[in-house]
Amino acid sequence: MTGARAPQGATAVTVDEIDPRPVLRHERLHQGRVIDLVREEIDLGEAGVVTREYVDHPGAVAVVALDDEDRVLLLRQYRHPVRAYMWEVPAGLLDVDGEPADEAAARELAEEADVTASRWAVLTDYATTPGSSNEAVRIFLARGLGEVAEAERHVRTGEEAGMEVRRVPLDEAVALALDGSLHNPSTVVGILAAAASRAGGWSSLREVDAPWPYRRAS
């Protein structure tokens, strides 16, 4: 899928366009548990051949879970690379081959927050660091919240053990995102996208199976 091109003389359409350049050489420098580091030589045509190193990432999903009082669910989790406890929306890797993104999002919401949702929609998509990683994230809006039955709850370990769960009014969460109190990218993007979509009567929401060409092929 590629972005639309405007006819000659028409107003340009501002949309990202997938248009891969030829890869002349591919090398895996490091294979990790989740992510790899690769080096590629890319033919840019008249601009010549360049060498780039980037993180090959399976992608992820995140969930803005909004309750009937317009409160967004946030989790407090330790993130070692930045040495910080961060307030985040539920999220997780797309590390199950062939798993639909919406099913992965529902699984993560249940596992991390013991919460279910009856209504789902795509809120927004983004590339986390397109200059150094191919990681793509799809953020879902989840509403009609309920609770996972006690006997079916996931046993959380590692950084997820003992996570604090808090429901924050969406307007308050927007202020926290803008004043520098929140730093997790999916949280900031998701909160601002939810506020913008709500202001437009939620007309921007997409179906859960909306095209997502930026997701890495398995």
Side-chain angles (χ1 to χ4, degrees):
M1 177 179 177
T2 60
R5 291 182 181 275
Q8 188 172 2
T11 302
V13 178
T14 306
V15 59
D16 295 339
E17 179 182 3
I18 293 181
D19 188 11
R21 303 293 85 193
V23 175
L24 306 179
R25 184 170 179 268
H26 173 91
E27 178 185 5
R28 180 183 292 151
L29 302 177
H30 171 74
Q31 182 173 359
R33 186 175 63 86
V34 174
I35 59 176
D36 297 342
L37 177 63
V38 301
R39 176 186 293 141
E40 292 183 338
E41 291 182 0
I42 309 103
D43 184 356
L44 298 181
E46 294 183 0
V49 175
V50 297
T51 300
R52 296 291 181 264
E53 295 174 357
Y54 66 90
V55 172
D56 188 20
H57 193 287
V61 290
V63 184
V64 174
L66 203 62
D67 67 16
D68 293 338
E69 298 177 42
D70 265 5
R71 298 179 301 174
V72 60
L73 188 152
L74 297 178
L75 308 168
R76 185 173 183 265
Q77 183 170 353
Y78 181 66
R79 294 300 188 184
H80 184 68
V82 293
R83 273 60 170 180
Y85 283 92
M86 308 184 85
W87 286 99
E88 307 177 355
V89 296
L93 296 169
L94 288 167
D95 53 0
V96 178
D97 287 345
E99 184 178 32
D102 61 308
E103 293 182 14
R107 174 172 52 78
E108 291 295 341
L109 179 62
E111 290 181 357
E112 293 194 342
D114 301 324
V115 169
T116 63
S118 61
R119 306 197 309 277
W120 290 84
V122 173
L123 185 58
T124 193
D125 303 323
Y126 76 101
T128 58
T129 48
S132 58
S133 173
N134 62 355
E135 180 183 10
V137 178
R138 168 156 281 187
I139 303 180
F140 289 89
L141 178 70
R143 292 176 290 181
L145 305 186
E147 293 187 2
V148 174
E150 189 78 32
E152 299 175 2
R153 293 186 176 182
H154 180 71
V155 178
R156 292 185 280 272
T157 60
E159 290 92 340
E160 295 181 351
M163 286 192 304
E164 181 181 349
V165 180
R166 185 173 294 177
R167 297 193 183 197
V168 179
L170 182 57
D171 291 334
E172 181 182 329
V174 169
L176 293 171
L178 295 177
D179 72 9
S181 296
L182 303 177
H183 296 83
N184 175 272
S186 291
T187 303
V188 173
V189 171
I191 286 171
L192 298 182
S197 187
R198 182 184 62 177
W202 302 111
S203 61
S204 66
L205 297 179
R206 289 173 282 154
E207 297 295 326
V208 295
D209 59 352
W212 188 19
Y214 286 85
R215 179 176 179 176
R216 191 188 76 176
S218 298

